[in-house]
Amino acid sequence: MTHVVLESCIRCRYTDCVDVCPVDCFREGPNMLVIDPDECIDCAVCIPECPVEAIVAEEDVPPEMQAYIGLNAELAPGWPAITRKKEPLPDAEQWKDVPDKLQYLER
């Protein structure tokens, strides 16, 4: 199993998780991070680091978020690896609690 970044990351892109990842499995998109399922070793150290609780184990993905399993796998190969913490997006605080953000995902 792997871990999955869910929709609460969209338009926030907090990167606290990348500093603790021992295998550099995070990929950075324009307004979201994803986890490369081929690189993730299922260590779970990233989960408590996410301030918007966007990271879960694949088996814990809620039914309404199942599409994010495939979305992480689809986007990871085309996005660059991120290995160091960066500032979140400028309006991350405004977006962190907004639901239904898939429409705002920038590929």
Side-chain angles (χ1 to χ4, degrees):
M1 286 296 180
T2 185
H3 284 74
V4 179
V5 179
L6 302 177
E7 99 174 340
S8 55
C9 186
I10 298 172
R11 296 202 72 167
C12 292
R13 205 181 62 203
Y14 289 99
T15 57
D16 306 65
C17 52
V18 302
D19 269 346
V20 299
C21 181
V23 294
D24 301 333
C25 69
F26 285 90
R27 303 295 181 257
E28 181 181 23
N31 68 348
M32 177 185 185
L33 298 178
V34 296
I35 291 175
D36 184 334
D38 294 331
E39 297 293 325
C40 181
I41 59 170
D42 199 28
C43 69
V45 296
C46 57
I47 292 175
E49 299 301 317
C50 182
V52 294
E53 300 178 358
I55 305 169
V56 299
E58 184 176 343
E59 63 268 17
D60 296 331
V61 174
E64 68 275 10
M65 299 274 173
Q66 288 290 307
Y68 284 88
I69 297 170
L71 191 65
N72 276 246
E74 172 193 336
L75 297 175
W79 285 357
I82 177 172
T83 59
R84 296 278 179 235
K85 182 178 176 178
K86 296 180 178 181
E87 290 297 315
L89 294 176
D91 56 353
E93 278 297 308
Q94 296 168 337
W95 283 96
K96 70 179 189 173
D97 296 319
V98 174
D100 304 319
K101 295 193 289 185
L102 183 57
Q103 63 187 326
Y104 302 109
L105 174 64
E106 294 177 28
R107 295 172 178 256

